[in-house]
Amino acid sequence: MIDLMSRYDPSAFPPFAVTVDLVVLTVREHELCALLVRRGEPPFQGYWALPGGFVRPDEGLGEAASRELAEETGLRAHTSGGQIAVGAHLEQLATYGHPQRDPRMRVVSVAHLALAPDLPTPKPGGDARGARWAPVRELLGPAEADREPLAFDHALILADGVERARSKIEYSALATAFCPEEFTVGELRRVYEAVWGVALDPRNFHRKVTGTPGFLVPSGGTTTRQGGRPAQLFAAGGATVLNPPMLRPES
Amino acid sequence: MIDLMSRYDPSAFPPFAVTVDLVVLTVREHELCALLVRRGEPPFQGYWALPGGFVRPDEGLGEAASRELAEETGLRAHTSGGQIAVGAHLEQLATYGHPQRDPRMRVVSVAHLALAPDLPTPKPGGDARGARWAPVRELLGPAEADREPLAFDHALILADGVERARSKIEYSALATAFCPEEFTVGELRRVYEAVWGVALDPRNFHRKVTGTPGFLVPSGGTTTRQGGRPAQLFAAGGATVLNPPMLRPES
DNA sequence: CGTGTTTATCGTCAAAGAGACGACTATGAT
DNA sequence: ATCATAGTCGTCTCTTTGACGATAAACACG
């Protein structure tokens, strides 16, 4: 493979650069937030952008996304089962390859979606560039002309990622990826409320999630960290799909 | 852009080849079938493969997929509204970029999913290579060791495409993409039955689809082409999402 | 200590939807 | 004329949802 690469003939096929971009979402203070980094060089110098980078010659697309995620946030990604202390859900989102999306060259970007619990670090990083959690309401809510523009087509990628997250928590158990290892039903409900931007009835929500087999498993303890009556603590169960789904209200 | 491409420096980023591969599905004789082409050259010479090809330097990913679809089948693709006499639904599926997926070089393939009505031509083409509609039951049903292997990782791509189609007709009106412009409720039901591989109750199905606003619009006529009592003809309505969804039985 | 506030949890009721299935209709085949 | 086939309308029951009352267990305040 490496040998063949060195014999690569540029006239045989059009050369592309391939990158991964990450839509990293979390819930902070009742708000869905996305991770942005500030670009230090042209093009779009000084603009906020999604974290990402080139795919290396010997790594797969998921590996590249996982590596970028670890570099930016310290999160270990897992696509399904394997539990790690600080873990995030990671999945491929879509691929963006408009010929003029990068003015320098032909770049195809394989966007990935990561869902992470609220991180203790207020400004994630380790990187020299600035980084911040930006509420998606500020990034996507206002009319396109009024909001701060993101680099490249990252506003489109972000919008696709947010929509994927919003629809996926309907029929999968992925909302638990936004929660710490142990959480209460109320905390899970606030995740749904933040991602969807709606208010849910606490009683019906409680009935629904505790009645869905495999969604939640009681972990024994209780907590009072939200105030009020102590709530039972749960961990994510093995279920990945919710059947029947949790439907978004006001359809 | 073109100027910048000619100044491209191979040392600046790893060069990749980018292709599109197509999972083209249709329903023929109560069976979900996928379009395959026979490879005329190495690697995997003589194997059956998904249709596809290189993305050209000046075309987008969707454009490339649409062009390949037209070359292989004569279908004009439309991603949503625009009605064309012979049209198919086309959407991006996922991107496959394992470093060793092509022994010749590093290739990233952006797979697309196309859903088409049954075509009059038994063997589609125009291409010199052989082409056929293969029942997915034969391609994916048997144990992996027993079935005829497809080229590259195309069995994986096909499986992902089939699963996408199966789940997408649950909550969207996409099943109509498998039907001709005018169709009966029974014909639509047979599409669901073929894609899911189950039997559905004709009475409940009829109630469900005719009761979902915007799914079907009566087109006036009736037909008796299926035998039995004449059935009312419908065209696809404007609805794209089904709420509540059509649930797969036996979950 | 009592009272109010907050959050969690259980229960009830009506409406909507799904699954099972009976009954009737309109065509072609024999 | 009778049968087979496919389409369409209804009915009944069970499950699920959405709305909301009621109770429980903590903390904050006077």
Side-chain angles (χ1 to χ4, degrees), chain A residues 39-48 101-103 150-153:
Chain A
R39 283 186 61 80
E41 49 192 77
F44 294 101
Q45 186 168 22
Y47 281 63
W48 291 97
R101 64 181 294 277
D102 187 318
L150 298 183
F152 304 106
D153 52 1

Side-chain angles (χ1 to χ4, degrees), chain A residues 24 57 74 82 96 121 123-124 127 135 156 167 171 175 212 222 251:
Chain A
V24 188
Y96 300 81
T121 49
K123 301 247 176 145
D127 204 307
L156 170 64
S167 78
Y171 57 89
T212 300
T222 60
S251 53

